[in-house]
Amino acid sequence: MFFRMIFGTLFRQWKKMLMIAFTIALGASLATAMLSVMLDVGDKVNQELKTYGANITVVPKENSVLSSLYEVEGEGGTGAYLREDELGNIKTIFWAFNIIDYAPFINASVKLDDGTEVSAVGTWFNHHMELPTGEQLDAGVTSMRSWWEIVDGKWLDEQTGSADGAMVGKALAEKLGIKSGDTLHLNGTVSDISLNVVGIFDAGGDEDDKIFMPADTAQSLDGLDGKIDSIEVSALTTPENDLAIKAAKDPKSLTIAQYETWYCTAYASSICYQIQEVITDSVASPVRQVADSEGAILEKTQLLMSLITILSLIGAALGICNLVTASVMERSAEMGLMKAIGAQNSSVSGLVLTEITVTAVFGGTAGFFAGWGFAQIIGHSVFGSAITMRPVVIPLVAVLVLIVTLAGCIPAIRMLLRLSPCEVLHGR
Amino acid sequence: MSLLELKNIYKIYGDLHALDDVNLKVEKGEWLSIMGPSGSGKSTMMNIIGCMDKPSKGEVLLDGVDIAKESAKNLTAIRRDKIGLIFQQFHLVGYLTAIENVMLAQYYHSVPDEKEALEALDRVGLADRAKHLPSQLSGGEQQRVCVARALINYPEIILADEPTGNLDDANEKIVVDLFHKLHSEGTTLIVVTHDPEVAEVAQRTVYLRNGKLHKETINENFTGEIKFDNEVEI
Ligand SMILES: Nc1ncnc2c1ncn2[C@@H]1O[C@H](COP(=O)(O)OP(=O)(O)OP(=O)(O)O)[C@@H](O)[C@H]1O
Ligand SMILES: [Mg+2]
């Protein structure tokens, strides 16, 4: 009987119910899209930011002074280097967890057999590290230069022992007529080596004119074992504020309390400061605009999405509220009649709530899948990758839809409770 | 003890006395008519007796219980268990068939029983229309479905507010005949009507004016049969 009545209303008022389902679907789809993107966006933004490369660079102290004075790239001209064996320390600083990736760079100038000079860079590709903390980490350009497009061959994999491998930039490869699988003979100042070209990459910049090889290989060419020119670090940072700016000028100008706050906040400047503490004679400096925008992008995107979600849910609740109230008002005679022939408030409200819940289940399910689609569209157009559906989104959306639907029903239910059978039955 | 007793009932809206110090006793098994001009308070009185409204002042004893003091929830339960209602507008649920409309009353009362509901429809002569929707029934047929619904739970009192107001004489006769049948089975009937012919059938008629009971007549030669002044063809 109950179901007969439910279906009676659902079919008789199918237009109204469809509108309600549509409203719920709209709210649910936005909530689903925003929640999935929001939960997944942390990773997506990280990826996105890694695509911008490093946001902190570390160079030897002397070079830093020189290059800022004469605006020249420190290329070992002063003979100052950083120590490769200290690199693991970066993962031991206070904000180690915010350090996403880093890689050392050592420049070598080498000659081909015909005497042509080419610039070679030694670095880490996917360097495996066992940290003093017991943690393990794969760091290097494979992830820090994830935007490199491999036009031929593949990424160099340090872990499978291709120490004699190299990757060649597209422009250079075209000039020299090299393709992956070729062998390249390079003469350094100290030794010479034959390298196997594993891949050709398109970086879309001046790196396209360079040969990239494992750091060890490059060091041995110039006899610079264990030495590196610079480090690029990719770290998650908090947007700078007055305190951070003041500290960046001179940490000693801070009071102890300010110093504590600054040191324990993931500002780019405090992370730089902490890196300097663990790398001997180094200067770490933020690559300004990226470091600033990074944290801000994440926070603002999430704030924006929360706002959209909340607003869309409020909108849905208002819409539902209107439609349900109208539907109940239209049926007030019927509801009054039910009360008159003995229906308690609970069973009349139950009837309406069940109807709306059935509608909400259909609308919510449809909205969920639509939202999933939206999320993918957003993922592809904004972050350039698919959004992974987190399982937690399903119960979250279900609960939100339920709350919104029930909230939307409150005025209608209140009206039902107040509805007196004699008012409707005697046509007043 | 009377089945129903109204003691000094007032219903006041602002400064309008819709009911003004009404006293009335109705015995079990009695057939009572209520007459009076429009706005005299007949429906107001029926709503109070039917547990759909409460008086501003006074006691309403139904089976010895003062329903003026009961909670809304209890009033619904009393209405469901003891009272059958019939209205001038037929008030059926539009998307339920005749038999389902009858079963709805059973559903809220206890459990729907299709066989019993069909018997009730048979009593009002509509067994063959059980599967029709209200929109497929004539006015008179709809009102008979309402009668079937009112009697399905064996109420002690049937309250009818102008049950024949929208019916032609032929249907009026059918409905009054049904009342007669119910009355002869011991059901108490209270019928509000504008129609003297319908009122005269009852054992007793009370007259309301401006919210006050001002006259009462007893039908000495009560038969329960309706008589028409001018003959009608059926
Ligand atoms: N909810 C209300 N608020 C204000 N006044 C009301 C209300 N209900 C009834 N009244 C007034 O109470 C008086 C009695 O109304 P009631 O419906 O009982 O008359 P009635 O005798 O049934 O009339 P009719 O024969 O036209 O149905 C009327 O004047 C009406 O306007
Ligand atoms: Mg009336």
Side-chain angles (χ1 to χ4, degrees), chain B residues 85-125:
Chain B
L85 293 167
I86 300 168
F87 311 96
Q88 178 174 359
Q89 285 88 17
F90 315 123
H91 290 305
L92 293 168
V93 178
Y95 54 88
L96 296 180
T97 60
I99 191 161
E100 283 167 343
N101 265 288
V102 177
M103 283 159 69
L104 193 61
Q106 290 178 311
Y107 171 73
Y108 288 124
H109 182 263
S110 45
V111 272
D113 178 343
E114 190 159 356
K115 192 164 151 280
E116 211 178 344
L118 196 62
E119 278 166 19
L121 279 179
D122 195 32
R123 288 189 64 182
V124 299

mmCIF file of all heavy atoms in Angstrom, chain B residues 85-125:
data_model
loop_
_atom_site.group_PDB
_atom_site.id
_atom_site.type_symbol
_atom_site.label_atom_id
_atom_site.label_comp_id
_atom_site.label_asym_id
_atom_site.label_seq_id
_atom_site.Cartn_x
_atom_site.Cartn_y
_atom_site.Cartn_z
ATOM 1 N N LEU B 85 -15.587 9.707 8.523
ATOM 2 C CA LEU B 85 -15.897 11.050 8.038
ATOM 3 C C LEU B 85 -16.359 11.018 6.592
ATOM 4 O O LEU B 85 -15.804 10.310 5.757
ATOM 5 C CB LEU B 85 -14.641 11.934 8.123
ATOM 6 C CG LEU B 85 -14.133 12.267 9.528
ATOM 7 C CD1 LEU B 85 -12.733 12.855 9.451
ATOM 8 C CD2 LEU B 85 -15.068 13.244 10.237
ATOM 9 N N ILE B 86 -17.394 11.826 6.315
ATOM 10 C CA ILE B 86 -17.853 12.002 4.930
ATOM 11 C C ILE B 86 -17.988 13.502 4.689
ATOM 12 O O ILE B 86 -18.482 14.230 5.561
ATOM 13 C CB ILE B 86 -19.214 11.297 4.714
ATOM 14 C CG1 ILE B 86 -19.072 9.797 5.006
ATOM 15 C CG2 ILE B 86 -19.718 11.521 3.289
ATOM 16 C CD1 ILE B 86 -20.394 9.073 5.110
ATOM 17 N N PHE B 87 -17.486 13.960 3.533
ATOM 18 C CA PHE B 87 -17.476 15.402 3.270
ATOM 19 C C PHE B 87 -18.341 15.757 2.072
ATOM 20 O O PHE B 87 -18.707 14.897 1.271
ATOM 21 C CB PHE B 87 -16.049 15.869 2.985
ATOM 22 C CG PHE B 87 -15.053 15.395 3.986
ATOM 23 C CD1 PHE B 87 -14.303 14.253 3.748
ATOM 24 C CD2 PHE B 87 -14.887 16.063 5.182
ATOM 25 C CE1 PHE B 87 -13.389 13.801 4.681
ATOM 26 C CE2 PHE B 87 -13.976 15.616 6.121
ATOM 27 C CZ PHE B 87 -13.228 14.478 5.869
ATOM 28 N N GLN B 88 -18.594 17.067 1.981
ATOM 29 C CA GLN B 88 -19.388 17.517 0.842
ATOM 30 C C GLN B 88 -18.621 17.316 -0.475
ATOM 31 O O GLN B 88 -19.137 16.727 -1.419
ATOM 32 C CB GLN B 88 -19.731 18.999 1.016
ATOM 33 C CG GLN B 88 -20.527 19.551 -0.152
ATOM 34 C CD GLN B 88 -20.981 20.977 0.109
ATOM 35 O OE1 GLN B 88 -20.715 21.542 1.164
ATOM 36 N NE2 GLN B 88 -21.683 21.546 -0.842
ATOM 37 N N GLN B 89 -17.347 17.817 -0.499
ATOM 38 C CA GLN B 89 -16.488 17.468 -1.628
ATOM 39 C C GLN B 89 -15.985 16.065 -1.316
ATOM 40 O O GLN B 89 -15.658 15.776 -0.179
ATOM 41 C CB GLN B 89 -15.298 18.430 -1.737
ATOM 42 C CG GLN B 89 -15.639 19.792 -2.286
ATOM 43 C CD GLN B 89 -16.067 20.763 -1.199
ATOM 44 O OE1 GLN B 89 -15.810 20.516 -0.023
ATOM 45 N NE2 GLN B 89 -16.729 21.841 -1.585
ATOM 46 N N PHE B 90 -15.896 15.256 -2.342
ATOM 47 C CA PHE B 90 -15.764 13.834 -2.038
ATOM 48 C C PHE B 90 -14.421 13.448 -1.439
ATOM 49 O O PHE B 90 -14.301 12.516 -0.679
ATOM 50 C CB PHE B 90 -16.090 13.004 -3.284
ATOM 51 C CG PHE B 90 -17.324 13.521 -3.967
ATOM 52 C CD1 PHE B 90 -17.311 13.917 -5.281
ATOM 53 C CD2 PHE B 90 -18.499 13.663 -3.228
ATOM 54 C CE1 PHE B 90 -18.454 14.430 -5.882
ATOM 55 C CE2 PHE B 90 -19.648 14.184 -3.826
ATOM 56 C CZ PHE B 90 -19.625 14.563 -5.162
ATOM 57 N N HIS B 91 -13.358 14.184 -1.791
ATOM 58 C CA HIS B 91 -12.052 13.927 -1.191
ATOM 59 C C HIS B 91 -11.604 12.477 -1.267
ATOM 60 O O HIS B 91 -11.536 11.769 -0.266
ATOM 61 C CB HIS B 91 -12.017 14.394 0.261
ATOM 62 C CG HIS B 91 -12.050 15.877 0.388
ATOM 63 N ND1 HIS B 91 -11.139 16.696 -0.233
ATOM 64 C CD2 HIS B 91 -12.889 16.691 1.055
ATOM 65 C CE1 HIS B 91 -11.410 17.950 0.040
ATOM 66 N NE2 HIS B 91 -12.475 17.985 0.807
ATOM 67 N N LEU B 92 -11.273 12.071 -2.472
ATOM 68 C CA LEU B 92 -10.622 10.772 -2.648
ATOM 69 C C LEU B 92 -9.201 11.039 -3.140
ATOM 70 O O LEU B 92 -8.929 12.104 -3.698
ATOM 71 C CB LEU B 92 -11.377 9.934 -3.683
ATOM 72 C CG LEU B 92 -12.774 9.491 -3.255
ATOM 73 C CD1 LEU B 92 -13.544 8.933 -4.448
ATOM 74 C CD2 LEU B 92 -12.715 8.474 -2.131
ATOM 75 N N VAL B 93 -8.323 10.060 -2.931
ATOM 76 C CA VAL B 93 -6.962 10.226 -3.452
ATOM 77 C C VAL B 93 -6.985 9.881 -4.933
ATOM 78 O O VAL B 93 -7.331 8.762 -5.317
ATOM 79 C CB VAL B 93 -5.964 9.333 -2.683
ATOM 80 C CG1 VAL B 93 -4.570 9.483 -3.271
ATOM 81 C CG2 VAL B 93 -5.955 9.715 -1.211
ATOM 82 N N GLY B 94 -6.625 10.859 -5.753
ATOM 83 C CA GLY B 94 -6.861 10.775 -7.191
ATOM 84 C C GLY B 94 -6.154 9.647 -7.913
ATOM 85 O O GLY B 94 -6.660 9.125 -8.891
ATOM 86 N N TYR B 95 -4.973 9.270 -7.449
ATOM 87 C CA TYR B 95 -4.227 8.261 -8.199
ATOM 88 C C TYR B 95 -4.414 6.861 -7.634
ATOM 89 O O TYR B 95 -3.745 5.929 -8.058
ATOM 90 C CB TYR B 95 -2.733 8.616 -8.235
ATOM 91 C CG TYR B 95 -2.122 8.847 -6.877
ATOM 92 C CD1 TYR B 95 -1.595 7.793 -6.136
ATOM 93 C CD2 TYR B 95 -2.083 10.124 -6.324
ATOM 94 C CE1 TYR B 95 -1.044 8.010 -4.897
ATOM 95 C CE2 TYR B 95 -1.541 10.342 -5.075
ATOM 96 C CZ TYR B 95 -1.016 9.277 -4.374
ATOM 97 O OH TYR B 95 -0.489 9.482 -3.140
ATOM 98 N N LEU B 96 -5.314 6.734 -6.652
ATOM 99 C CA LEU B 96 -5.605 5.403 -6.129
ATOM 100 C C LEU B 96 -6.992 4.992 -6.625
ATOM 101 O O LEU B 96 -7.888 5.824 -6.738
ATOM 102 C CB LEU B 96 -5.582 5.398 -4.593
ATOM 103 C CG LEU B 96 -4.234 5.701 -3.934
ATOM 104 C CD1 LEU B 96 -4.361 5.672 -2.415
ATOM 105 C CD2 LEU B 96 -3.163 4.707 -4.378
ATOM 106 N N THR B 97 -7.167 3.698 -6.889
ATOM 107 C CA THR B 97 -8.469 3.215 -7.351
ATOM 108 C C THR B 97 -9.456 3.236 -6.194
ATOM 109 O O THR B 97 -9.078 3.468 -5.039
ATOM 110 C CB THR B 97 -8.350 1.770 -7.863
ATOM 111 O OG1 THR B 97 -7.882 0.971 -6.789
ATOM 112 C CG2 THR B 97 -7.401 1.666 -9.033
ATOM 113 N N ALA B 98 -10.731 3.013 -6.514
ATOM 114 C CA ALA B 98 -11.775 3.038 -5.491
ATOM 115 C C ALA B 98 -11.417 2.126 -4.334
ATOM 116 O O ALA B 98 -11.455 2.523 -3.162
ATOM 117 C CB ALA B 98 -13.103 2.610 -6.116
ATOM 118 N N ILE B 99 -11.033 0.899 -4.673
ATOM 119 C CA ILE B 99 -10.761 -0.055 -3.592
ATOM 120 C C ILE B 99 -9.524 0.354 -2.798
ATOM 121 O O ILE B 99 -9.470 0.218 -1.572
ATOM 122 C CB ILE B 99 -10.634 -1.496 -4.145
ATOM 123 C CG1 ILE B 99 -10.626 -2.477 -2.983
ATOM 124 C CG2 ILE B 99 -9.407 -1.668 -5.013
ATOM 125 C CD1 ILE B 99 -10.967 -3.886 -3.374
ATOM 126 N N GLU B 100 -8.531 0.946 -3.504
ATOM 127 C CA GLU B 100 -7.331 1.384 -2.782
ATOM 128 C C GLU B 100 -7.646 2.539 -1.845
ATOM 129 O O GLU B 100 -7.073 2.651 -0.757
ATOM 130 C CB GLU B 100 -6.237 1.785 -3.772
ATOM 131 C CG GLU B 100 -5.552 0.578 -4.382
ATOM 132 C CD GLU B 100 -4.690 0.939 -5.577
ATOM 133 O OE1 GLU B 100 -4.850 2.039 -6.138
ATOM 134 O OE2 GLU B 100 -3.871 0.095 -5.954
ATOM 135 N N ASN B 101 -8.582 3.407 -2.267
ATOM 136 C CA ASN B 101 -8.986 4.494 -1.386
ATOM 137 C C ASN B 101 -9.611 3.961 -0.106
ATOM 138 O O ASN B 101 -9.393 4.502 0.976
ATOM 139 C CB ASN B 101 -9.961 5.418 -2.107
ATOM 140 C CG ASN B 101 -9.248 6.604 -2.738
ATOM 141 O OD1 ASN B 101 -8.807 7.502 -2.039
ATOM 142 N ND2 ASN B 101 -9.120 6.574 -4.055
ATOM 143 N N VAL B 102 -10.390 2.892 -0.246
ATOM 144 C CA VAL B 102 -10.992 2.284 0.944
ATOM 145 C C VAL B 102 -9.896 1.631 1.792
ATOM 146 O O VAL B 102 -9.871 1.763 3.024
ATOM 147 C CB VAL B 102 -12.064 1.252 0.537
ATOM 148 C CG1 VAL B 102 -12.635 0.569 1.766
ATOM 149 C CG2 VAL B 102 -13.170 1.939 -0.256
ATOM 150 N N MET B 103 -8.970 0.970 1.096
ATOM 151 C CA MET B 103 -7.912 0.282 1.821
ATOM 152 C C MET B 103 -6.978 1.247 2.549
ATOM 153 O O MET B 103 -6.346 0.894 3.538
ATOM 154 C CB MET B 103 -7.098 -0.597 0.858
ATOM 155 C CG MET B 103 -7.831 -1.873 0.499
ATOM 156 S SD MET B 103 -7.228 -2.585 -1.031
ATOM 157 C CE MET B 103 -5.616 -3.138 -0.568
ATOM 158 N N LEU B 104 -6.903 2.485 2.032
ATOM 159 C CA LEU B 104 -6.063 3.484 2.682
ATOM 160 C C LEU B 104 -6.491 3.691 4.135
ATOM 161 O O LEU B 104 -5.655 3.803 5.036
ATOM 162 C CB LEU B 104 -6.173 4.801 1.908
ATOM 163 C CG LEU B 104 -5.149 5.882 2.222
ATOM 164 C CD1 LEU B 104 -3.751 5.397 1.924
ATOM 165 C CD2 LEU B 104 -5.449 7.135 1.417
ATOM 166 N N ALA B 105 -7.808 3.720 4.362
ATOM 167 C CA ALA B 105 -8.314 3.879 5.720
ATOM 168 C C ALA B 105 -7.928 2.677 6.573
ATOM 169 O O ALA B 105 -7.598 2.808 7.754
ATOM 170 C CB ALA B 105 -9.826 4.063 5.703
ATOM 171 N N GLN B 106 -7.964 1.487 5.949
ATOM 172 C CA GLN B 106 -7.539 0.286 6.683
ATOM 173 C C GLN B 106 -6.053 0.367 7.005
ATOM 174 O O GLN B 106 -5.614 -0.001 8.089
ATOM 175 C CB GLN B 106 -7.771 -0.972 5.822
ATOM 176 C CG GLN B 106 -9.216 -1.339 5.617
ATOM 177 C CD GLN B 106 -9.312 -2.562 4.718
ATOM 178 O OE1 GLN B 106 -8.687 -2.618 3.667
ATOM 179 N NE2 GLN B 106 -10.101 -3.534 5.140
ATOM 180 N N TYR B 107 -5.280 0.870 6.016
ATOM 181 C CA TYR B 107 -3.830 0.949 6.174
ATOM 182 C C TYR B 107 -3.462 1.795 7.390
ATOM 183 O O TYR B 107 -2.626 1.415 8.201
ATOM 184 C CB TYR B 107 -3.221 1.526 4.903
ATOM 185 C CG TYR B 107 -1.766 1.867 4.996
ATOM 186 C CD1 TYR B 107 -0.785 0.871 5.015
ATOM 187 C CD2 TYR B 107 -1.351 3.199 5.075
ATOM 188 C CE1 TYR B 107 0.555 1.188 5.097
ATOM 189 C CE2 TYR B 107 -0.008 3.519 5.149
ATOM 190 C CZ TYR B 107 0.944 2.518 5.159
ATOM 191 O OH TYR B 107 2.266 2.835 5.239
ATOM 192 N N TYR B 108 -4.117 2.960 7.526
ATOM 193 C CA TYR B 108 -3.786 3.811 8.661
ATOM 194 C C TYR B 108 -4.371 3.269 9.955
ATOM 195 O O TYR B 108 -3.880 3.534 11.036
ATOM 196 C CB TYR B 108 -4.265 5.246 8.411
ATOM 197 C CG TYR B 108 -3.434 5.950 7.370
ATOM 198 C CD1 TYR B 108 -4.005 6.511 6.244
ATOM 199 C CD2 TYR B 108 -2.049 6.022 7.515
ATOM 200 C CE1 TYR B 108 -3.228 7.140 5.289
ATOM 201 C CE2 TYR B 108 -1.267 6.641 6.559
ATOM 202 C CZ TYR B 108 -1.855 7.194 5.450
ATOM 203 O OH TYR B 108 -1.076 7.814 4.516
ATOM 204 N N HIS B 109 -5.430 2.468 9.836
ATOM 205 C CA HIS B 109 -6.078 1.923 11.023
ATOM 206 C C HIS B 109 -5.338 0.693 11.516
ATOM 207 O O HIS B 109 -4.962 0.588 12.671
ATOM 208 C CB HIS B 109 -7.532 1.589 10.687
ATOM 209 C CG HIS B 109 -8.307 1.062 11.849
ATOM 210 N ND1 HIS B 109 -8.500 -0.283 12.060
ATOM 211 C CD2 HIS B 109 -8.932 1.696 12.872
ATOM 212 C CE1 HIS B 109 -9.210 -0.451 13.168
ATOM 213 N NE2 HIS B 109 -9.487 0.732 13.669
ATOM 214 N N SER B 110 -5.135 -0.278 10.618
ATOM 215 C CA SER B 110 -4.448 -1.508 11.003
ATOM 216 C C SER B 110 -3.705 -2.087 9.802
ATOM 217 O O SER B 110 -2.609 -1.653 9.497
ATOM 218 C CB SER B 110 -5.459 -2.507 11.564
ATOM 219 O OG SER B 110 -6.620 -2.546 10.742
ATOM 220 N N VAL B 111 -4.346 -3.075 9.137
ATOM 221 C CA VAL B 111 -3.714 -3.605 7.923
ATOM 222 C C VAL B 111 -4.726 -3.603 6.783
ATOM 223 O O VAL B 111 -5.902 -3.879 6.994
ATOM 224 C CB VAL B 111 -3.206 -5.057 8.111
ATOM 225 C CG1 VAL B 111 -1.810 -5.077 8.661
ATOM 226 C CG2 VAL B 111 -4.157 -5.850 8.977
ATOM 227 N N PRO B 112 -4.285 -3.287 5.576
ATOM 228 C CA PRO B 112 -5.198 -3.325 4.437
ATOM 229 C C PRO B 112 -5.668 -4.756 4.175
ATOM 230 O O PRO B 112 -4.886 -5.691 4.275
ATOM 231 C CB PRO B 112 -4.341 -2.833 3.270
ATOM 232 C CG PRO B 112 -3.093 -2.304 3.851
ATOM 233 C CD PRO B 112 -2.916 -2.918 5.178
ATOM 234 N N ASP B 113 -6.955 -4.914 3.925
ATOM 235 C CA ASP B 113 -7.515 -6.238 3.669
ATOM 236 C C ASP B 113 -8.411 -6.088 2.443
ATOM 237 O O ASP B 113 -9.497 -5.521 2.518
ATOM 238 C CB ASP B 113 -8.321 -6.699 4.894
ATOM 239 C CG ASP B 113 -8.968 -8.056 4.657
ATOM 240 O OD1 ASP B 113 -9.081 -8.486 3.488
ATOM 241 O OD2 ASP B 113 -9.375 -8.683 5.650
ATOM 242 N N GLU B 114 -7.927 -6.584 1.326
ATOM 243 C CA GLU B 114 -8.603 -6.338 0.067
ATOM 244 C C GLU B 114 -10.013 -6.924 0.042
ATOM 245 O O GLU B 114 -10.954 -6.324 -0.471
ATOM 246 C CB GLU B 114 -7.764 -6.903 -1.088
ATOM 247 C CG GLU B 114 -8.291 -6.464 -2.438
ATOM 248 C CD GLU B 114 -7.252 -6.566 -3.535
ATOM 249 O OE1 GLU B 114 -6.100 -6.912 -3.252
ATOM 250 O OE2 GLU B 114 -7.621 -6.290 -4.688
ATOM 251 N N LYS B 115 -10.168 -8.107 0.668
ATOM 252 C CA LYS B 115 -11.460 -8.786 0.639
ATOM 253 C C LYS B 115 -12.508 -7.961 1.387
ATOM 254 O O LYS B 115 -13.605 -7.713 0.881
ATOM 255 C CB LYS B 115 -11.288 -10.166 1.307
ATOM 256 C CG LYS B 115 -12.459 -11.097 1.109
ATOM 257 C CD LYS B 115 -12.055 -12.532 1.433
ATOM 258 C CE LYS B 115 -13.234 -13.331 1.929
ATOM 259 N NZ LYS B 115 -13.514 -13.066 3.369
ATOM 260 N N GLU B 116 -12.093 -7.489 2.542
ATOM 261 C CA GLU B 116 -12.994 -6.689 3.355
ATOM 262 C C GLU B 116 -13.355 -5.374 2.647
ATOM 263 O O GLU B 116 -14.502 -4.928 2.672
ATOM 264 C CB GLU B 116 -12.307 -6.393 4.695
ATOM 265 C CG GLU B 116 -13.280 -6.262 5.843
ATOM 266 C CD GLU B 116 -12.543 -6.012 7.156
ATOM 267 O OE1 GLU B 116 -11.320 -6.249 7.209
ATOM 268 O OE2 GLU B 116 -13.194 -5.559 8.099
ATOM 269 N N ALA B 117 -12.340 -4.788 2.016
ATOM 270 C CA ALA B 117 -12.573 -3.533 1.296
ATOM 271 C C ALA B 117 -13.570 -3.744 0.153
ATOM 272 O O ALA B 117 -14.437 -2.903 -0.096
ATOM 273 C CB ALA B 117 -11.248 -2.997 0.753
ATOM 274 N N LEU B 118 -13.440 -4.886 -0.492
ATOM 275 C CA LEU B 118 -14.356 -5.189 -1.591
ATOM 276 C C LEU B 118 -15.782 -5.367 -1.072
ATOM 277 O O LEU B 118 -16.750 -4.913 -1.685
ATOM 278 C CB LEU B 118 -13.874 -6.437 -2.324
ATOM 279 C CG LEU B 118 -14.497 -6.662 -3.702
ATOM 280 C CD1 LEU B 118 -14.148 -5.523 -4.648
ATOM 281 C CD2 LEU B 118 -14.024 -7.988 -4.287
ATOM 282 N N GLU B 119 -15.904 -6.001 0.103
ATOM 283 C CA GLU B 119 -17.227 -6.163 0.720
ATOM 284 C C GLU B 119 -17.859 -4.806 1.010
ATOM 285 O O GLU B 119 -19.046 -4.601 0.785
ATOM 286 C CB GLU B 119 -17.111 -6.964 2.024
ATOM 287 C CG GLU B 119 -17.049 -8.468 1.800
ATOM 288 C CD GLU B 119 -16.603 -9.217 3.058
ATOM 289 O OE1 GLU B 119 -16.691 -8.623 4.169
ATOM 290 O OE2 GLU B 119 -16.153 -10.365 2.916
ATOM 291 N N ALA B 120 -17.015 -3.870 1.525
ATOM 292 C CA ALA B 120 -17.530 -2.535 1.831
ATOM 293 C C ALA B 120 -18.016 -1.849 0.556
ATOM 294 O O ALA B 120 -19.068 -1.203 0.548
ATOM 295 C CB ALA B 120 -16.439 -1.704 2.506
ATOM 296 N N LEU B 121 -17.259 -1.999 -0.530
ATOM 297 C CA LEU B 121 -17.685 -1.419 -1.804
ATOM 298 C C LEU B 121 -18.974 -2.079 -2.284
ATOM 299 O O LEU B 121 -19.846 -1.434 -2.869
ATOM 300 C CB LEU B 121 -16.584 -1.577 -2.863
ATOM 301 C CG LEU B 121 -15.453 -0.554 -2.806
ATOM 302 C CD1 LEU B 121 -14.430 -0.842 -3.885
ATOM 303 C CD2 LEU B 121 -15.987 0.867 -2.953
ATOM 304 N N ASP B 122 -19.097 -3.381 -2.021
ATOM 305 C CA ASP B 122 -20.300 -4.109 -2.400
ATOM 306 C C ASP B 122 -21.518 -3.557 -1.661
ATOM 307 O O ASP B 122 -22.598 -3.408 -2.222
ATOM 308 C CB ASP B 122 -20.094 -5.595 -2.086
ATOM 309 C CG ASP B 122 -21.141 -6.458 -2.780
ATOM 310 O OD1 ASP B 122 -21.573 -6.060 -3.884
ATOM 311 O OD2 ASP B 122 -21.526 -7.497 -2.217
ATOM 312 N N ARG B 123 -21.303 -3.195 -0.399
ATOM 313 C CA ARG B 123 -22.408 -2.656 0.392
ATOM 314 C C ARG B 123 -22.929 -1.350 -0.194
ATOM 315 O O ARG B 123 -24.102 -1.039 -0.067
ATOM 316 C CB ARG B 123 -21.956 -2.391 1.831
ATOM 317 C CG ARG B 123 -21.756 -3.655 2.624
ATOM 318 C CD ARG B 123 -21.534 -3.324 4.071
ATOM 319 N NE ARG B 123 -22.699 -2.688 4.673
ATOM 320 C CZ ARG B 123 -22.726 -2.267 5.935
ATOM 321 N NH1 ARG B 123 -21.660 -2.390 6.696
ATOM 322 N NH2 ARG B 123 -23.810 -1.709 6.416
ATOM 323 N N VAL B 124 -22.033 -0.544 -0.774
ATOM 324 C CA VAL B 124 -22.498 0.704 -1.373
ATOM 325 C C VAL B 124 -22.790 0.508 -2.857
ATOM 326 O O VAL B 124 -22.973 1.472 -3.601
ATOM 327 C CB VAL B 124 -21.488 1.858 -1.163
ATOM 328 C CG1 VAL B 124 -21.276 2.127 0.314
ATOM 329 C CG2 VAL B 124 -20.162 1.563 -1.845
ATOM 330 N N GLY B 125 -22.788 -0.764 -3.299
ATOM 331 C CA GLY B 125 -23.187 -1.086 -4.662
ATOM 332 C C GLY B 125 -22.151 -0.766 -5.713
ATOM 333 O O GLY B 125 -22.482 -0.473 -6.859
#
